[in-house]
């Protein structure tokens, strides 16, 4: 039998993240062939992934990254099955590494097919499913491109947001982060009124009218009062119209204007679950 050294086991562990005993077994089975041992561990990952395909990967880490010149940001969720794994330092580190790769791609499909240490991102997820013993998946992938992009990751990696501003001016970094924090905390359904789906507006109008009828308001008054309620709905649920959480006397749009002729062009919010 080929003698397997501790150095060889450690090298394989660093390359794959697998446990020491799993690495030793793979090297013994591969008769010391390093590449073959990696393949053995990958196949183990495929078997585990197949067994756990129907599991829910609702825990994990939500990560946001922005490129060096702050013109593009991505937010992803690397999902796993348990909170215990989601908080693990090596798991969070993997999520950050994957997010760095994601920055170079425009879609989830393109990202999953991208290279990650000599294998695709999809293959890496399968490999790590074997290492960790839980189903791993990319549960969200969002992109924002703008003259200035900022980001925010909520404590515990539960929520990640990216925000685009119309200009890169002095103060953009602070404002973009503040607005990204706003989006994380308040979970707006759209950037502005135009971004709200027509069916949502229709549903809200009907709810408002039903409430008004129940209060005994005359039918002729319903449309006008419902319009007022819809304005309130936009104020509560669209990012730029929301009251700014650090100063409720101004809206988010008004706060952004404090650094110049600047507006919010886009935002994306990803979260666990």
């Amino acid at each position: 039998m080929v003698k397997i050294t501790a150095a060889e086991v450690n090298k394989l562990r660093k390359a794959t993240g697998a446990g020491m005993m799993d690495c030793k077994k793979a090297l013994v089975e591969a008769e010391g062939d390093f590449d073959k041992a990696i393949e053995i561990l990958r196949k183990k990952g495929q078997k585990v992934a197949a067994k756990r395909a129907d599991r829910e990967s609702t825990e994990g880490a939500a990560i946001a990254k922005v490129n060096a010149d702050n013109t593009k940001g991505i937010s992803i969720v690397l999902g796993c099955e348990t909170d215990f794994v989601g908080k693990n330092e090596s798991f969070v580190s993997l999520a950050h590494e994957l997010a760095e790769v994601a920055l170079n791609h425009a879609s989830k499909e393109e990202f999953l097919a991208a290279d990650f240490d000599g294998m695709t991102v999809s293959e890496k997820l399968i490999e790590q499913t074997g290492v960790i013993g839980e189903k791993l998946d990319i549960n969200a992938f969002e992109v924002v491109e703008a003259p200035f992009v900022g980001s925010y990751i909520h404590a515990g990696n539960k929520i990640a947001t990216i925000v685009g501003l119309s200009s890169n001016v002095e103060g953009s970094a602070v404002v973009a982060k503040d607005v990204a924090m706003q989006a994380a905390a308040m979970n707006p359904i759209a950037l502005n009124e135009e971004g709200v789906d027509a069916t949502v507006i229709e549903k809200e109008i009907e709810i408002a009218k039903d409430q008004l009828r129940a209060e005994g308001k005359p039918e002729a008054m319903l449309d006008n009062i419902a319009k007022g309620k819809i304005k309130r709905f936009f104020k509560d649920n669209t990012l730029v119209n929301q009251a700014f959480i650090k100063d409720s006397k101004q809206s988010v749009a008004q706060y952004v204007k404090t650094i110049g002729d600047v507006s919010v062009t886009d935002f994306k919010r990803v979260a666990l679950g």
Side-chain angles (χ1 to χ4, degrees):
M1 191 175 78
V2 177
K3 190 176 188 304
I4 306 301
T5 67
E8 288 171 322
V9 173
N10 196 41
K11 182 185 174 186
L12 184 59
R13 186 187 69 78
K14 283 182 178 175
T16 63
M20 297 292 274
M21 287 308 296
D22 285 337
C23 287
K24 188 173 181 181
K25 284 177 187 173
L27 281 163
V28 168
E29 188 181 331
E31 297 179 336
D33 186 316
F34 186 78
D35 290 335
K36 192 175 176 184
I38 287 178
E39 193 58 36
I40 287 165
L41 288 171
R42 277 194 202 165
K43 283 178 180 174
K44 182 194 171 192
Q46 289 168 355
K47 286 176 186 174
V48 176
K51 284 179 185 174
R52 305 190 79 80
D54 61 344
R55 298 293 181 106
E56 293 287 319
S57 54
T58 53
E59 295 294 337
I63 305 295
K65 292 274 181 192
V66 176
N67 65 0
D69 59 2
N70 287 92
T71 56
K72 181 181 180 182
I74 63 94
S75 48
I76 66 167
V77 172
L78 176 61
C80 59
E81 295 174 33
T82 64
D83 187 47
F84 176 76
V85 167
K87 287 178 177 174
N88 183 275
E89 194 177 320
S90 61
F91 177 86
V92 175
S93 177
L94 174 64
H96 277 278
E97 288 174 41
L98 287 166
E100 286 289 350
V101 174
L103 257 179
N104 299 314
H105 301 282
S107 68
K108 180 179 172 179
E109 293 71 28
E110 191 182 301
F111 166 54
L112 289 171
D115 178 73
F116 190 101
D117 290 342
M119 64 184 90
T120 66
V121 169
S122 287
E123 287 168 343
K124 184 67 178 178
L125 294 174
I126 291 169
E127 178 205 74
Q128 290 301 301
T129 293
V131 169
I132 295 167
E134 289 192 7
K135 179 183 179 180
L136 300 193
D137 208 353
I138 300 298
N139 291 340
F141 179 99
E142 297 289 354
V143 181
V144 166
E145 293 188 70
F148 189 91
V149 179
S151 66
Y152 172 71
I153 302 174
H154 192 59
N157 305 302
K158 302 291 186 187
I159 304 167
T161 50
I162 39 176
V163 165
L165 300 181
S166 61
S167 299
N168 182 356
V169 297
E170 189 177 346
S172 288
V174 172
V175 166
K177 185 174 182 182
D178 279 343
V179 177
M181 287 174 71
Q182 171 97 18
M186 302 305 291
N187 194 16
I189 63 170
L191 176 65
N192 51 33
E193 298 93 327
E194 290 76 27
V196 181
D197 192 275
T199 56
V200 172
I201 297 171
E202 286 166 20
K203 186 180 175 185
E204 288 299 320
I205 289 171
E206 284 310 308
I207 290 169
K209 285 183 176 179
D210 286 344
Q211 287 172 344
L212 293 166
R213 286 187 190 105
E215 291 167 14
K217 294 286 192 294
E219 198 69 27
M221 294 173 62
L222 296 189
D223 280 337
N224 279 338
I225 303 175
K227 281 176 187 174
K229 285 186 176 283
I230 284 298
K231 280 186 182 176
R232 180 71 204 186
F233 175 79
F234 287 144
K235 188 176 186 300
D236 291 340
N237 294 284
T238 60
L239 179 61
V240 297
N241 294 306
Q242 285 179 339
F244 179 45
I245 50 176
K246 288 188 174 181
D247 176 10
S248 60
K249 292 191 176 98
Q250 58 183 338
S251 68
V252 169
Q254 288 167 334
Y255 166 64
V256 172
K257 291 286 183 195
T258 60
I259 58 168
D261 186 18
V262 182
S263 60
V264 183
T265 60
D266 197 4
F267 84 98
K268 298 295 180 188
R269 180 185 188 275
V270 300
L272 302 189

PDB file of all heavy atoms in Angstrom, residues 83-112:
ATOM      1  N   ASP A  83     -28.572  26.809  10.141  1.00  0.00           N
ATOM      2  CA  ASP A  83     -27.976  28.036  10.641  1.00  0.00           C
ATOM      3  C   ASP A  83     -26.554  27.788  11.136  1.00  0.00           C
ATOM      4  O   ASP A  83     -25.684  28.647  11.019  1.00  0.00           O
ATOM      5  CB  ASP A  83     -28.857  28.573  11.784  1.00  0.00           C
ATOM      6  CG  ASP A  83     -28.424  29.937  12.260  1.00  0.00           C
ATOM      7  OD1 ASP A  83     -28.192  30.798  11.410  1.00  0.00           O
ATOM      8  OD2 ASP A  83     -28.309  30.133  13.486  1.00  0.00           O
ATOM      9  N   PHE A  84     -26.319  26.593  11.674  1.00  0.00           N
ATOM     10  CA  PHE A  84     -24.993  26.222  12.190  1.00  0.00           C
ATOM     11  C   PHE A  84     -23.941  26.329  11.081  1.00  0.00           C
ATOM     12  O   PHE A  84     -22.880  26.917  11.264  1.00  0.00           O
ATOM     13  CB  PHE A  84     -25.030  24.798  12.758  1.00  0.00           C
ATOM     14  CG  PHE A  84     -23.695  24.298  13.232  1.00  0.00           C
ATOM     15  CD1 PHE A  84     -23.158  24.726  14.435  1.00  0.00           C
ATOM     16  CD2 PHE A  84     -22.960  23.399  12.465  1.00  0.00           C
ATOM     17  CE1 PHE A  84     -21.918  24.276  14.869  1.00  0.00           C
ATOM     18  CE2 PHE A  84     -21.719  22.943  12.882  1.00  0.00           C
ATOM     19  CZ  PHE A  84     -21.199  23.380  14.092  1.00  0.00           C
ATOM     20  N   VAL A  85     -24.255  25.764   9.910  1.00  0.00           N
ATOM     21  CA  VAL A  85     -23.328  25.839   8.769  1.00  0.00           C
ATOM     22  C   VAL A  85     -23.256  27.266   8.236  1.00  0.00           C
ATOM     23  O   VAL A  85     -22.182  27.782   7.911  1.00  0.00           O
ATOM     24  CB  VAL A  85     -23.738  24.849   7.649  1.00  0.00           C
ATOM     25  CG1 VAL A  85     -22.996  25.150   6.348  1.00  0.00           C
ATOM     26  CG2 VAL A  85     -23.467  23.419   8.089  1.00  0.00           C
ATOM     27  N   GLY A  86     -24.418  27.950   8.161  1.00  0.00           N
ATOM     28  CA  GLY A  86     -24.474  29.305   7.626  1.00  0.00           C
ATOM     29  C   GLY A  86     -23.580  30.288   8.374  1.00  0.00           C
ATOM     30  O   GLY A  86     -23.100  31.258   7.800  1.00  0.00           O
ATOM     31  N   LYS A  87     -23.364  30.027   9.666  1.00  0.00           N
ATOM     32  CA  LYS A  87     -22.527  30.919  10.481  1.00  0.00           C
ATOM     33  C   LYS A  87     -21.064  30.490  10.501  1.00  0.00           C
ATOM     34  O   LYS A  87     -20.216  31.206  11.027  1.00  0.00           O
ATOM     35  CB  LYS A  87     -23.060  30.937  11.923  1.00  0.00           C
ATOM     36  CG  LYS A  87     -24.366  31.704  12.076  1.00  0.00           C
ATOM     37  CD  LYS A  87     -24.844  31.634  13.516  1.00  0.00           C
ATOM     38  CE  LYS A  87     -26.106  32.457  13.702  1.00  0.00           C
ATOM     39  NZ  LYS A  87     -26.672  32.285  15.058  1.00  0.00           N
ATOM     40  N   ASN A  88     -20.777  29.305   9.945  1.00  0.00           N
ATOM     41  CA  ASN A  88     -19.413  28.785   9.966  1.00  0.00           C
ATOM     42  C   ASN A  88     -18.471  29.698   9.177  1.00  0.00           C
ATOM     43  O   ASN A  88     -18.784  30.143   8.076  1.00  0.00           O
ATOM     44  CB  ASN A  88     -19.415  27.371   9.364  1.00  0.00           C
ATOM     45  CG  ASN A  88     -18.048  26.730   9.410  1.00  0.00           C
ATOM     46  OD1 ASN A  88     -17.234  26.952   8.519  1.00  0.00           O
ATOM     47  ND2 ASN A  88     -17.797  25.940  10.429  1.00  0.00           N
ATOM     48  N   GLU A  89     -17.314  29.964   9.760  1.00  0.00           N
ATOM     49  CA  GLU A  89     -16.365  30.911   9.161  1.00  0.00           C
ATOM     50  C   GLU A  89     -15.920  30.504   7.755  1.00  0.00           C
ATOM     51  O   GLU A  89     -15.837  31.334   6.846  1.00  0.00           O
ATOM     52  CB  GLU A  89     -15.130  31.024  10.076  1.00  0.00           C
ATOM     53  CG  GLU A  89     -14.239  32.200   9.750  1.00  0.00           C
ATOM     54  CD  GLU A  89     -13.066  32.341  10.709  1.00  0.00           C
ATOM     55  OE1 GLU A  89     -13.246  32.125  11.919  1.00  0.00           O
ATOM     56  OE2 GLU A  89     -11.959  32.649  10.221  1.00  0.00           O
ATOM     57  N   SER A  90     -15.658  29.210   7.558  1.00  0.00           N
ATOM     58  CA  SER A  90     -15.194  28.752   6.241  1.00  0.00           C
ATOM     59  C   SER A  90     -16.319  28.839   5.204  1.00  0.00           C
ATOM     60  O   SER A  90     -16.075  29.115   4.029  1.00  0.00           O
ATOM     61  CB  SER A  90     -14.629  27.333   6.317  1.00  0.00           C
ATOM     62  OG  SER A  90     -15.617  26.425   6.744  1.00  0.00           O
ATOM     63  N   PHE A  91     -17.577  28.636   5.641  1.00  0.00           N
ATOM     64  CA  PHE A  91     -18.724  28.753   4.744  1.00  0.00           C
ATOM     65  C   PHE A  91     -18.892  30.210   4.301  1.00  0.00           C
ATOM     66  O   PHE A  91     -19.081  30.495   3.115  1.00  0.00           O
ATOM     67  CB  PHE A  91     -19.994  28.256   5.440  1.00  0.00           C
ATOM     68  CG  PHE A  91     -21.245  28.397   4.603  1.00  0.00           C
ATOM     69  CD1 PHE A  91     -21.606  27.411   3.694  1.00  0.00           C
ATOM     70  CD2 PHE A  91     -22.051  29.521   4.706  1.00  0.00           C
ATOM     71  CE1 PHE A  91     -22.750  27.549   2.906  1.00  0.00           C
ATOM     72  CE2 PHE A  91     -23.187  29.668   3.932  1.00  0.00           C
ATOM     73  CZ  PHE A  91     -23.536  28.675   3.028  1.00  0.00           C
ATOM     74  N   VAL A  92     -18.819  31.140   5.256  1.00  0.00           N
ATOM     75  CA  VAL A  92     -18.949  32.565   4.941  1.00  0.00           C
ATOM     76  C   VAL A  92     -17.803  33.007   4.031  1.00  0.00           C
ATOM     77  O   VAL A  92     -17.997  33.781   3.091  1.00  0.00           O
ATOM     78  CB  VAL A  92     -19.000  33.419   6.233  1.00  0.00           C
ATOM     79  CG1 VAL A  92     -19.007  34.909   5.899  1.00  0.00           C
ATOM     80  CG2 VAL A  92     -20.232  33.056   7.060  1.00  0.00           C
ATOM     81  N   SER A  93     -16.613  32.472   4.292  1.00  0.00           N
ATOM     82  CA  SER A  93     -15.453  32.776   3.450  1.00  0.00           C
ATOM     83  C   SER A  93     -15.681  32.298   2.016  1.00  0.00           C
ATOM     84  O   SER A  93     -15.373  33.011   1.054  1.00  0.00           O
ATOM     85  CB  SER A  93     -14.202  32.116   4.045  1.00  0.00           C
ATOM     86  OG  SER A  93     -13.089  32.332   3.223  1.00  0.00           O
ATOM     87  N   LEU A  94     -16.243  31.095   1.871  1.00  0.00           N
ATOM     88  CA  LEU A  94     -16.577  30.567   0.537  1.00  0.00           C
ATOM     89  C   LEU A  94     -17.592  31.480  -0.148  1.00  0.00           C
ATOM     90  O   LEU A  94     -17.468  31.771  -1.342  1.00  0.00           O
ATOM     91  CB  LEU A  94     -17.137  29.140   0.656  1.00  0.00           C
ATOM     92  CG  LEU A  94     -17.664  28.517  -0.644  1.00  0.00           C
ATOM     93  CD1 LEU A  94     -16.546  28.324  -1.665  1.00  0.00           C
ATOM     94  CD2 LEU A  94     -18.349  27.172  -0.351  1.00  0.00           C
ATOM     95  N   ALA A  95     -18.588  31.948   0.602  1.00  0.00           N
ATOM     96  CA  ALA A  95     -19.613  32.840   0.039  1.00  0.00           C
ATOM     97  C   ALA A  95     -18.972  34.121  -0.499  1.00  0.00           C
ATOM     98  O   ALA A  95     -19.328  34.601  -1.582  1.00  0.00           O
ATOM     99  CB  ALA A  95     -20.670  33.171   1.092  1.00  0.00           C
ATOM    100  N   HIS A  96     -18.004  34.669   0.229  1.00  0.00           N
ATOM    101  CA  HIS A  96     -17.310  35.878  -0.222  1.00  0.00           C
ATOM    102  C   HIS A  96     -16.471  35.600  -1.477  1.00  0.00           C
ATOM    103  O   HIS A  96     -16.439  36.422  -2.394  1.00  0.00           O
ATOM    104  CB  HIS A  96     -16.409  36.420   0.897  1.00  0.00           C
ATOM    105  CG  HIS A  96     -17.136  37.273   1.888  1.00  0.00           C
ATOM    106  ND1 HIS A  96     -17.416  38.604   1.661  1.00  0.00           N
ATOM    107  CD2 HIS A  96     -17.657  36.981   3.110  1.00  0.00           C
ATOM    108  CE1 HIS A  96     -18.074  39.100   2.691  1.00  0.00           C
ATOM    109  NE2 HIS A  96     -18.238  38.141   3.586  1.00  0.00           N
ATOM    110  N   GLU A  97     -15.813  34.446  -1.506  1.00  0.00           N
ATOM    111  CA  GLU A  97     -15.019  34.078  -2.690  1.00  0.00           C
ATOM    112  C   GLU A  97     -15.918  33.929  -3.918  1.00  0.00           C
ATOM    113  O   GLU A  97     -15.567  34.376  -5.012  1.00  0.00           O
ATOM    114  CB  GLU A  97     -14.272  32.768  -2.429  1.00  0.00           C
ATOM    115  CG  GLU A  97     -13.108  32.878  -1.440  1.00  0.00           C
ATOM    116  CD  GLU A  97     -12.505  31.516  -1.130  1.00  0.00           C
ATOM    117  OE1 GLU A  97     -12.358  30.707  -2.062  1.00  0.00           O
ATOM    118  OE2 GLU A  97     -12.214  31.270   0.053  1.00  0.00           O
ATOM    119  N   LEU A  98     -17.069  33.304  -3.722  1.00  0.00           N
ATOM    120  CA  LEU A  98     -18.016  33.131  -4.832  1.00  0.00           C
ATOM    121  C   LEU A  98     -18.548  34.489  -5.302  1.00  0.00           C
ATOM    122  O   LEU A  98     -18.717  34.718  -6.506  1.00  0.00           O
ATOM    123  CB  LEU A  98     -19.173  32.229  -4.398  1.00  0.00           C
ATOM    124  CG  LEU A  98     -18.836  30.744  -4.253  1.00  0.00           C
ATOM    125  CD1 LEU A  98     -19.937  30.008  -3.508  1.00  0.00           C
ATOM    126  CD2 LEU A  98     -18.600  30.090  -5.620  1.00  0.00           C
ATOM    127  N   ALA A  99     -18.784  35.389  -4.356  1.00  0.00           N
ATOM    128  CA  ALA A  99     -19.274  36.727  -4.711  1.00  0.00           C
ATOM    129  C   ALA A  99     -18.247  37.494  -5.539  1.00  0.00           C
ATOM    130  O   ALA A  99     -18.612  38.229  -6.464  1.00  0.00           O
ATOM    131  CB  ALA A  99     -19.637  37.508  -3.447  1.00  0.00           C
ATOM    132  N   GLU A 100     -16.969  37.300  -5.237  1.00  0.00           N
ATOM    133  CA  GLU A 100     -15.906  37.944  -6.038  1.00  0.00           C
ATOM    134  C   GLU A 100     -15.960  37.456  -7.484  1.00  0.00           C
ATOM    135  O   GLU A 100     -15.790  38.233  -8.424  1.00  0.00           O
ATOM    136  CB  GLU A 100     -14.531  37.633  -5.432  1.00  0.00           C
ATOM    137  CG  GLU A 100     -14.215  38.386  -4.155  1.00  0.00           C
ATOM    138  CD  GLU A 100     -13.956  39.867  -4.366  1.00  0.00           C
ATOM    139  OE1 GLU A 100     -13.830  40.315  -5.519  1.00  0.00           O
ATOM    140  OE2 GLU A 100     -13.878  40.584  -3.358  1.00  0.00           O
ATOM    141  N   VAL A 101     -16.197  36.160  -7.662  1.00  0.00           N
ATOM    142  CA  VAL A 101     -16.334  35.598  -9.015  1.00  0.00           C
ATOM    143  C   VAL A 101     -17.594  36.158  -9.683  1.00  0.00           C
ATOM    144  O   VAL A 101     -17.588  36.532 -10.852  1.00  0.00           O
ATOM    145  CB  VAL A 101     -16.388  34.044  -8.966  1.00  0.00           C
ATOM    146  CG1 VAL A 101     -16.669  33.467 -10.354  1.00  0.00           C
ATOM    147  CG2 VAL A 101     -15.086  33.476  -8.413  1.00  0.00           C
ATOM    148  N   ALA A 102     -18.680  36.232  -8.903  1.00  0.00           N
ATOM    149  CA  ALA A 102     -19.963  36.713  -9.437  1.00  0.00           C
ATOM    150  C   ALA A 102     -19.864  38.128  -9.997  1.00  0.00           C
ATOM    151  O   ALA A 102     -20.573  38.474 -10.954  1.00  0.00           O
ATOM    152  CB  ALA A 102     -21.027  36.658  -8.345  1.00  0.00           C
ATOM    153  N   LEU A 103     -18.979  38.944  -9.433  1.00  0.00           N
ATOM    154  CA  LEU A 103     -18.808  40.332  -9.889  1.00  0.00           C
ATOM    155  C   LEU A 103     -18.474  40.433 -11.379  1.00  0.00           C
ATOM    156  O   LEU A 103     -18.749  41.444 -12.015  1.00  0.00           O
ATOM    157  CB  LEU A 103     -17.686  41.000  -9.097  1.00  0.00           C
ATOM    158  CG  LEU A 103     -18.077  41.968  -7.988  1.00  0.00           C
ATOM    159  CD1 LEU A 103     -16.841  42.507  -7.305  1.00  0.00           C
ATOM    160  CD2 LEU A 103     -18.951  43.106  -8.496  1.00  0.00           C
ATOM    161  N   ASN A 104     -17.885  39.384 -11.923  1.00  0.00           N
ATOM    162  CA  ASN A 104     -17.469  39.399 -13.329  1.00  0.00           C
ATOM    163  C   ASN A 104     -18.532  38.868 -14.280  1.00  0.00           C
ATOM    164  O   ASN A 104     -18.271  38.686 -15.464  1.00  0.00           O
ATOM    165  CB  ASN A 104     -16.188  38.575 -13.499  1.00  0.00           C
ATOM    166  CG  ASN A 104     -15.040  39.143 -12.690  1.00  0.00           C
ATOM    167  OD1 ASN A 104     -14.810  40.341 -12.700  1.00  0.00           O
ATOM    168  ND2 ASN A 104     -14.341  38.293 -11.959  1.00  0.00           N
ATOM    169  N   HIS A 105     -19.737  38.614 -13.750  1.00  0.00           N
ATOM    170  CA  HIS A 105     -20.767  37.989 -14.594  1.00  0.00           C
ATOM    171  C   HIS A 105     -22.103  38.723 -14.490  1.00  0.00           C
ATOM    172  O   HIS A 105     -22.383  39.385 -13.500  1.00  0.00           O
ATOM    173  CB  HIS A 105     -20.900  36.511 -14.229  1.00  0.00           C
ATOM    174  CG  HIS A 105     -19.604  35.779 -14.411  1.00  0.00           C
ATOM    175  ND1 HIS A 105     -19.143  35.387 -15.645  1.00  0.00           N
ATOM    176  CD2 HIS A 105     -18.630  35.443 -13.525  1.00  0.00           C
ATOM    177  CE1 HIS A 105     -17.958  34.812 -15.508  1.00  0.00           C
ATOM    178  NE2 HIS A 105     -17.623  34.838 -14.232  1.00  0.00           N
ATOM    179  N   ALA A 106     -22.906  38.571 -15.557  1.00  0.00           N
ATOM    180  CA  ALA A 106     -24.140  39.348 -15.667  1.00  0.00           C
ATOM    181  C   ALA A 106     -25.389  38.578 -15.275  1.00  0.00           C
ATOM    182  O   ALA A 106     -26.453  39.171 -15.074  1.00  0.00           O
ATOM    183  CB  ALA A 106     -24.294  39.862 -17.101  1.00  0.00           C
ATOM    184  N   SER A 107     -25.294  37.249 -15.178  1.00  0.00           N
ATOM    185  CA  SER A 107     -26.475  36.449 -14.848  1.00  0.00           C
ATOM    186  C   SER A 107     -26.084  35.264 -13.971  1.00  0.00           C
ATOM    187  O   SER A 107     -24.911  34.861 -13.935  1.00  0.00           O
ATOM    188  CB  SER A 107     -27.152  35.921 -16.120  1.00  0.00           C
ATOM    189  OG  SER A 107     -26.315  34.956 -16.757  1.00  0.00           O
ATOM    190  N   LYS A 108     -27.064  34.713 -13.304  1.00  0.00           N
ATOM    191  CA  LYS A 108     -26.826  33.546 -12.451  1.00  0.00           C
ATOM    192  C   LYS A 108     -26.314  32.368 -13.279  1.00  0.00           C
ATOM    193  O   LYS A 108     -25.392  31.655 -12.856  1.00  0.00           O
ATOM    194  CB  LYS A 108     -28.118  33.167 -11.720  1.00  0.00           C
ATOM    195  CG  LYS A 108     -27.986  31.960 -10.797  1.00  0.00           C
ATOM    196  CD  LYS A 108     -29.298  31.672 -10.089  1.00  0.00           C
ATOM    197  CE  LYS A 108     -29.240  30.364  -9.312  1.00  0.00           C
ATOM    198  NZ  LYS A 108     -30.497  30.080  -8.590  1.00  0.00           N
ATOM    199  N   GLU A 109     -26.893  32.170 -14.453  1.00  0.00           N
ATOM    200  CA  GLU A 109     -26.498  31.046 -15.311  1.00  0.00           C
ATOM    201  C   GLU A 109     -25.030  31.159 -15.732  1.00  0.00           C
ATOM    202  O   GLU A 109     -24.265  30.188 -15.685  1.00  0.00           O
ATOM    203  CB  GLU A 109     -27.391  30.986 -16.560  1.00  0.00           C
ATOM    204  CG  GLU A 109     -28.851  30.633 -16.289  1.00  0.00           C
ATOM    205  CD  GLU A 109     -29.627  31.739 -15.590  1.00  0.00           C
ATOM    206  OE1 GLU A 109     -29.290  32.933 -15.754  1.00  0.00           O
ATOM    207  OE2 GLU A 109     -30.574  31.384 -14.845  1.00  0.00           O
ATOM    208  N   GLU A 110     -24.648  32.375 -16.119  1.00  0.00           N
ATOM    209  CA  GLU A 110     -23.265  32.638 -16.527  1.00  0.00           C
ATOM    210  C   GLU A 110     -22.318  32.421 -15.341  1.00  0.00           C
ATOM    211  O   GLU A 110     -21.234  31.848 -15.486  1.00  0.00           O
ATOM    212  CB  GLU A 110     -23.183  34.097 -17.009  1.00  0.00           C
ATOM    213  CG  GLU A 110     -21.895  34.458 -17.720  1.00  0.00           C
ATOM    214  CD  GLU A 110     -21.878  35.931 -18.107  1.00  0.00           C
ATOM    215  OE1 GLU A 110     -22.782  36.363 -18.847  1.00  0.00           O
ATOM    216  OE2 GLU A 110     -20.958  36.639 -17.643  1.00  0.00           O
ATOM    217  N   PHE A 111     -22.738  32.881 -14.185  1.00  0.00           N
ATOM    218  CA  PHE A 111     -21.946  32.737 -12.957  1.00  0.00           C
ATOM    219  C   PHE A 111     -21.749  31.262 -12.591  1.00  0.00           C
ATOM    220  O   PHE A 111     -20.636  30.834 -12.278  1.00  0.00           O
ATOM    221  CB  PHE A 111     -22.650  33.503 -11.829  1.00  0.00           C
ATOM    222  CG  PHE A 111     -22.152  33.201 -10.441  1.00  0.00           C
ATOM    223  CD1 PHE A 111     -20.803  33.305 -10.115  1.00  0.00           C
ATOM    224  CD2 PHE A 111     -23.047  32.825  -9.445  1.00  0.00           C
ATOM    225  CE1 PHE A 111     -20.355  33.032  -8.817  1.00  0.00           C
ATOM    226  CE2 PHE A 111     -22.613  32.558  -8.157  1.00  0.00           C
ATOM    227  CZ  PHE A 111     -21.260  32.655  -7.847  1.00  0.00           C
ATOM    228  N   LEU A 112     -22.816  30.472 -12.648  1.00  0.00           N
ATOM    229  CA  LEU A 112     -22.722  29.046 -12.285  1.00  0.00           C
ATOM    230  C   LEU A 112     -21.788  28.274 -13.217  1.00  0.00           C
ATOM    231  O   LEU A 112     -21.192  27.276 -12.821  1.00  0.00           O
ATOM    232  CB  LEU A 112     -24.111  28.404 -12.280  1.00  0.00           C
ATOM    233  CG  LEU A 112     -25.041  28.821 -11.137  1.00  0.00           C
ATOM    234  CD1 LEU A 112     -26.451  28.293 -11.362  1.00  0.00           C
ATOM    235  CD2 LEU A 112     -24.510  28.356  -9.785  1.00  0.00           C
TER     236      LEU A 112
END
